[in-house]
Amino acid sequence: MPVIALALLFAFDRVAAGLGNAYVAQVLVLVGINIILAVSLNLINGFTGQLSIGHAGFMAIGAYVAAALSVYGGAEMQAFFHESLHLPMALSRALFFVAVILAGGLSAAVAGVLVGIPTLRLRGDYLAIASLGFGEIIRIIILNIDAVGGARGFSVVPSNYDYDVRFEGIFETYAMVLLTIVAIWHLAYSTRGRAYVAVKNDEIATESLGISATRVKTEAFVVAAFFGGVAGVLFSQSQGYVHTNSFTFLRSVEILVFVVLGGMGSITGSIVAAVVLTIVPEAFRDLSQYRMPAYALVMIAMMVWRPQGLFGRSEMSLAFLGRLLPGTKKEDQ
Amino acid sequence: MDVFFQQLVNGLAWGSIYALIALGYTMVYGILKLINFAHGEIYMLGAMTGYYAARALGFDDGPSIIGLFTVLTISMVVCAAVGMLIERVAYRPLRNAPRLAPLITAIGVSLFLQYSGQIVFGPDPKVPPELLAKSTLFTVGSVPVNNVQVVVLVVSLALCAGLTWIVHRTRMGRAMRAVSYDRQAAALMGINTDKTIAFTFAVGSALAAAAGILVGLYNPKVEPLMGLMPGLKAFVAAVLGGIGNIPGAMLGGVILGVAETLVSGYLSSTYRDAIAFVILIVILLVRPTGLLGSTAKEKV
């Protein structure tokens, strides 16, 4: 199954490249990045039930680590793989991609531990505002590091070597999308994942069953931070330029909207919401000033009338899609 | 040393503005256990209302103290009404929902006000009419203290005193205290909880509006996104002082204001926005109930 998926992806990448439409490719990459962000945040907000609104901070770490690694040594690393180890060019690039992804994801995960251990002792509203605070602190620290451009922003340009350090590919992005979905799905619907939902439903009861709620929450936080970092890597690589303004509180809220709309605790819901809410604003660019007010109204209306989100906690399956088609018998809920 | 006193004076003025906003947070949190994220936007609306009211009433041709108090009153009344409306539409339907739901709604309301504000008022910053002629009142050492700083401080203190009087000396205040202690029990005793909560929102919003007007005197630039950061920082101030505690909110606001101006004076102004969150995290870890909060055992 994963092999087929990868093959399909590769074909998809070729076809999209063949279209020669940079704009479409760019939107597709953005859709992928948003899927990763939404699915990973859902692990904290949806499954574990802890409101975290600092996801953009982890994204920022991934983005800047990847950008810095590319600029300070990316070309050298590829040159090393290609010239010293005599690896084929494609493999050298793939190894470099893996290195960048791991570096970005792991730095975000380390930040996740540092942020998670103190803040996760807090609950509900306090956690929300503390995670928001950490997101802002991360952003402000990056803003003050001159080596990564500070307030000027940071361009991912190759150094003196003749190697391309950027990845703009749909293939790379969707390979990470697949990996994220598979990893989080397996985690969320494993025995361990049941502990996550238990923490959401009743922390004290969970504790009394011998499960450390703090550990579960930290775990969810770190995994989500890792994938948030990965999304950041893809973001900086595909844009070729990063600025701390891309990782403000608003970005975090935008990711939260995907999760809320799709359904807190529904991975497929998050995916659908991320896809729809990335493509729809692109289609209505002329109305872009109404995007944020519309998001806000969606959030309010959703909480008042359907707090569980469009999909609630259920996952969309082929059987569910089948029920939507005419002529098939509807099952009673 | 002069730099220190200069920053201290600035910090006190900013701090009393944070304190006014923090009072609204602390009251709403005390009574509903809800972080009203939209509170910072009420402050923005207060400043905006002041701008338009002053121009509509013709107070923009020169400083006048009558103008200042008229605008202050109008803005407080308008924002009290908006605060009650928000409570009615966005928070009351969720009174018995899990706590995550109203929090997300609050973020939604906040975003809605910011971005509809950009559409309605335009995104460009506006310069509010000068309602108070700036002049140096006295100097401490060689540090000048101007009348705007004094007015900001005095009005904040007066409003805080007024709030303390409402909460401790009126029937409505007693109802507020009862509802924050135990909403169900208060309802059983015949207190109209909906009315009490609406009143809390009205008072908190009026105070935020006053902060918005005062900031217009101090820092003559108002814009639709101005509420976000002061709103969050005021919440930090409320937590710092002990959430639900009125003198605590004042104290927290002042400490935060002074800390911020000292950081931007001695370190770098880019770290100014970070210090609030650092304080927040430290206080949550070291003393989660805040400086003046009581150390209540967690209820299971």
Side-chain angles (χ1 to χ4, degrees):
Chain A
M1 183 65 188
V3 181
I4 302 171
L6 277 177
L8 275 176
L9 240 172
F10 192 68
F12 176 49
D13 185 51
R14 292 299 99 188
V15 172
L19 284 175
N21 190 332
Y23 172 68
V24 173
Q26 180 73 17
V27 172
L28 283 173
V29 167
L30 265 181
V31 168
I33 292 171
N34 284 340
I35 292 176
I36 298 179
L37 290 167
V39 170
S40 57
L41 186 66
N42 203 347
L43 191 67
I44 312 178
N45 286 7
F47 286 93
T48 322
Q50 310 296 317
L51 188 60
S52 163
I53 39 178
H55 217 46
F58 298 122
M59 193 186 170
I61 291 179
Y64 271 88
V65 166
L69 192 63
S70 301
V71 171
Y72 302 115
E76 287 82 347
M77 197 188 281
Q78 285 189 47
F80 173 75
F81 288 139
H82 186 53
E83 287 161 15
S84 306
L85 300 183
H86 303 291
L87 297 174
M89 196 56 226
L91 188 59
S92 308
R93 272 181 76 72
L95 281 176
F96 175 62
F97 176 68
V98 172
V100 173
I101 287 283
L102 280 179
L106 289 177
S107 346
V110 169
V113 177
L114 295 179
V115 173
I117 288 173
T119 44
L120 288 166
R121 286 166 45 204
L122 311 169
R123 292 191 187 167
D125 323 352
Y126 284 111
L127 172 64
I129 197 123
S131 61
L132 192 167
F134 266 116
E136 284 294 308
I137 291 173
I138 290 172
R139 197 174 67 83
I140 291 166
I141 290 175
I142 294 176
L143 193 62
N144 281 288
I145 300 177
D146 206 50
V148 291
R152 299 184 302 276
F154 191 41
S155 275
V156 188
V157 284
S159 51
N160 29 9
Y161 278 84
D162 203 15
Y163 287 88
D164 188 3
V165 291
R166 280 182 56 193
F167 293 90
E168 309 161 55
I170 293 172
F171 179 77
E172 285 90 354
T173 307
Y174 281 87
M176 293 321 295
V177 171
L178 265 184
L179 182 74
T180 311
I181 296 172
V182 169
I184 293 195
W185 191 290
H186 276 272
L187 183 58
Y189 292 104
S190 64
T191 319
R192 195 70 203 153
R194 296 300 86 192
Y196 288 27
V197 181
V199 166
K200 172 186 181 167
N201 290 333
D202 192 333
E203 223 177 292
I204 293 157
T206 313
E207 286 274 359
S208 60
L209 288 173
I211 298 165
S212 161
T214 311
R215 234 197 97 183
V216 166
K217 287 193 269 182
T218 314
E219 214 173 87
F221 212 71
V222 170
V223 172
F226 176 85
F227 286 106
V230 168
V233 172
L234 293 167
F235 183 76
S236 72
Q237 291 287 326
S238 63
Q239 302 284 312
Y241 171 79
V242 273
H243 193 280
T244 46
N245 283 356
S246 309
F247 310 106
T248 55
F249 170 57
L250 266 184
R251 188 76 176 104
S252 298
V253 169
E254 204 181 339
I255 308 167
L256 179 66
V257 175
F258 299 147
V259 174
V260 168
L261 181 76
M264 311 253 269
S266 167
I267 292 174
T268 40
S270 292
I271 298 172
V272 171
V275 172
V276 171
L277 289 184
T278 314
I279 291 177
V280 168
E282 289 297 332
F284 295 96
R285 271 215 171 266
D286 298 342
L287 301 174
S288 62
Q289 59 168 333
Y290 296 103
R291 185 173 71 113
M292 290 316 288
Y295 272 18
L297 285 182
V298 164
M299 279 169 88
I300 301 169
M302 216 63 193
M303 284 301 119
V304 173
W305 287 303
R306 201 176 156 80
Q308 69 274 44
L310 285 181
F311 289 85
R313 294 228 351 243
S314 44
E315 300 290 359
M316 200 166 47
S317 62
L318 288 175
F320 172 82
L321 284 176
R323 282 206 302 276
L324 289 179
L325 297 172
T328 47
K329 196 173 138 237
K330 271 198 180 138
E331 279 173 49
D332 288 330
Q333 285 286 333
Chain B
M1 218 45 196
D2 277 358
V3 177
F4 178 77
F5 279 114
Q6 186 64 59
Q7 298 299 345
L8 196 67
V9 172
N10 283 335
L12 278 175
W14 264 110
S16 50
I17 286 166
Y18 288 145
L20 277 182
I21 314 175
L23 289 171
Y25 269 115
T26 226
M27 283 194 296
V28 168
Y29 196 90
I31 214 160
L32 278 184
K33 297 278 172 290
L34 164 74
I35 302 179
N36 181 14
F37 269 103
H39 197 60
E41 275 55 54
I42 300 279
Y43 151 85
M44 176 273 286
L45 273 183
M48 281 291 176
T49 313
Y51 169 78
Y52 285 104
R55 288 183 38 151
L57 297 173
F59 290 126
D60 48 350
D61 26 279
S64 78
I65 201 82
I66 301 168
L68 175 62
F69 282 97
T70 316
V71 167
L72 192 66
T73 315
I74 292 176
S75 180
M76 286 172 79
V77 170
V78 168
C79 285
V82 174
M84 283 164 80
L85 178 73
I86 292 174
E87 191 272 328
R88 182 71 193 82
V89 174
Y91 301 144
R92 198 179 294 180
L94 294 169
R95 198 60 59 75
N96 297 313
R99 278 176 59 184
L100 218 54
L103 194 57
I104 291 171
T105 317
I107 297 175
V109 174
S110 158
L111 283 183
F112 181 74
L113 292 176
Q114 280 171 28
Y115 286 90
S116 352
Q118 281 201 330
I119 295 168
V120 176
F121 305 128
D124 47 309
K126 294 172 177 33
V127 179
E130 198 183 23
L131 291 170
L132 205 62
K134 208 178 248 182
S135 62
T136 304
L137 274 189
F138 53 87
T139 53
V140 181
S142 60
V143 176
V145 177
N146 65 41
N147 55 345
V148 171
Q149 289 164 327
V150 173
V151 166
V152 167
L153 204 62
V154 168
V155 173
S156 310
L157 281 174
L159 287 171
C160 182
L163 179 67
T164 314
W165 179 79
I166 289 178
V167 170
H168 290 283
R169 291 278 180 273
T170 62
R171 275 181 78 83
M172 201 35 130
R174 192 188 297 172
M176 282 163 71
R177 282 179 288 143
V179 173
S180 83
Y181 191 72
D182 187 333
R183 195 164 67 213
Q184 267 86 25
L188 289 173
M189 291 295 128
I191 291 172
N192 185 341
T193 51
D194 278 347
K195 212 172 113 191
T196 312
I197 292 168
F199 179 78
T200 309
F201 269 84
V203 173
S205 303
L207 293 175
I213 298 292
L214 294 178
V215 109
L217 295 179
Y218 194 71
N219 180 26
K221 196 181 89 173
V222 295
E223 49 163 341
L225 297 184
M226 68 187 273
L228 183 64
M229 267 298 149
L232 294 174
K233 288 175 187 168
F235 175 75
V236 174
V239 174
L240 176 61
I243 201 142
N245 183 317
I246 289 172
M250 288 298 279
L251 180 69
V254 170
I255 292 178
L256 186 61
V258 171
E260 273 196 348
T261 47
L262 289 182
V263 164
S264 51
Y266 285 102
L267 275 171
S268 144
S269 57
T270 40
Y271 282 114
R272 194 190 149 120
D273 286 344
I275 187 71
F277 297 112
V278 173
I279 291 181
L280 172 78
I281 289 156
V282 170
I283 199 86
L284 286 178
L285 294 177
V286 178
R287 195 178 156 85
T289 49
L291 295 176
L292 299 188
S294 55
T295 45
K297 277 257 170 65
E298 196 173 335
K299 275 189 241 169
V300 177

